[in-house]
C-alpha cells in the first residue's frame, strides 16, 4: 500500500512536470523527490545532498546543456544553500513561540537561498534582490494559503454556499499576493 501510494505521488509529480514544461527547477525538484523516494523504498539512507547530486547527474545525462541554463544554476545553488547554510542559521536562534519559530525559519531559509544565489544573480542580472526578506515573509504564507485553498476550492466549487465564497477567498489571497509583490518590486 505504501509503495503504491508513493508510485501514484511520483507519477503525479512527473505528470505535473511534463504539463508545466519541464523547467530546470521543476526537473530538479521532481528528480530529487524521485531519488529520495526510491532510496526510501530500497531502505537506503535518504540524504538530501545525494538526491541533489544524483538529480544533477541525471538531468545532465538527458540534457548536457542543462548546466549552462540560468534556471539550473540558480535552482541547484538555492538547494545547496539550504543544505549547507540553513541548518547553521536556524540553530542561531532559540524561540519559545511557534510564530517566532516560523518567522525565524522563513528568514533563515530566505537568507540561505539568497546567499547561495547572490553571486549568480549579480553575474547574470547585475543586481541583488534587496527586499527578499520582506517579500518572502509575505509571499511564503500567502502562497501556502493559496496552495491549501486551491484543491479545497476545486473540490467544493459546485456546493452551494461553499463553492463561491471559497473561490472568492482564493481569488482575494492571490490578488493580495500579486499586489504585495508588485509594491515591493516597485521599491
Amino acid at each position: 500500500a505504501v509503495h503504491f501510494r508513493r508510485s501514484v505521488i511520483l507519477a503525479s509529480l512527473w505528470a505535473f512536470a511534463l504539463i508545466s514544461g519541464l523547467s530546470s527547477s521543476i526537473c530538479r525538484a521532481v528528480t530529487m523527490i524521485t531519488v529520495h523516494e526510491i532510496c526510501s523504498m530500497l531502505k537506503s539512507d535518504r540524504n538530501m545532498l545525494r538526491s541533489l547530486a544524483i538529480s544533477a547527474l541525471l538531468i545532465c545525462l538527458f540534457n548536457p546543456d542543462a548546466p549552462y541554463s540560468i534556471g539550473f544554476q540558480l535552482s541547484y545553488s538555492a538547494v545547496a544553500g539550504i543544505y549547507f547554510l540553513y541548518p547553521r542559521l536556524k540553530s542561531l536562534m532559540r524561540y519559545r513561540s511557534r510564530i517566532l519559530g516560523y518567522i525565524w525559519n522563513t528568514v533563515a531559509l530566505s537568507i540561505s537561498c539568497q546567499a547561495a544565489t547572490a553571486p549568480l544573480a549579480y553575474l547574470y542580472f547585475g543586481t541583488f534582490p534587496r527586499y527578499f526578506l520582506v517579500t518572502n515573509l509575505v509571499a511564503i504564507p500567502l502562497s501556502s494559503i493559496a496552495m491549501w485553498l486551491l484543491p479545497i476550492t476545486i473540490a467544493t466549487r459546485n456546493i452551494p454556499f461553499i463553492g463561491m465564497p471559497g473561490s472568492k477567498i482564493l481569488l482575494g489571497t492571490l490578488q493580495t499576493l500579486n499586489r504585495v509583490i508588485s509594491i515591493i518590486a516597485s521599491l
Side-chain angles (χ1 to χ4, degrees):
V2 173
H3 290 307
F4 176 74
R5 190 184 85 208
R6 286 181 175 155
S7 299
V8 168
I9 290 170
L10 289 176
S12 300
L13 286 171
W14 280 105
F16 170 77
L18 287 168
I19 290 168
S20 67
L22 293 171
S23 71
S24 295
S25 58
I26 297 289
C27 281
R28 187 235 355 113
V30 174
T31 306
M32 280 185 69
I33 292 168
T34 301
V35 170
H36 203 69
E37 289 303 314
I38 289 171
C39 286
S40 181
M41 287 182 207
L42 298 174
K43 309 259 189 284
S44 180
D45 181 33
R46 291 172 25 155
N47 180 293
M48 183 175 161
L49 192 58
R50 177 189 303 155
S51 298
L52 185 68
I54 292 172
S55 71
L57 177 66
L58 289 172
I59 289 171
C60 290
L61 285 174
F62 286 101
N63 181 6
D65 291 330
Y68 299 107
S69 157
I70 297 169
F72 180 93
Q73 294 171 20
L74 288 170
S75 181
Y76 278 90
S77 295
V79 176
I82 292 169
Y83 181 80
F84 290 108
L85 300 174
Y86 175 67
R88 288 158 184 80
L89 284 176
K90 183 180 171 187
S91 68
L92 291 176
M93 186 172 168
R94 300 283 176 226
Y95 38 81
R96 293 185 183 170
S97 164
R98 285 181 77 140
I99 294 171
L100 287 176
Y102 175 80
I103 292 170
W104 176 246
N105 285 337
T106 302
V107 167
L109 188 63
S110 297
I111 291 171
S112 300
C113 290
Q114 288 300 323
T117 59
L120 289 170
Y122 192 77
L123 175 70
Y124 287 115
F125 307 114
T127 187
F128 177 77
R130 292 176 293 243
Y131 302 107
F132 71 90
L133 276 178
V134 175
T135 305
N136 287 342
L137 284 172
V138 176
I140 291 173
L142 286 174
S143 60
S144 296
I145 291 168
M147 286 174 49
W148 281 101
L149 285 173
L150 183 62
I152 294 168
T153 302
I154 291 170
T156 62
R157 73 179 182 271
N158 294 326
I159 299 174
F161 306 109
I162 296 175
M164 188 57 74
S167 297
K168 288 183 179 182
I169 293 169
L170 176 62
L171 180 62
T173 303
L174 293 172
Q175 287 173 335
T176 303
L177 176 62
N178 285 334
R179 223 174 289 124
V180 168
I181 291 174
S182 292
I183 291 168
I184 293 171
S186 69
L187 297 176

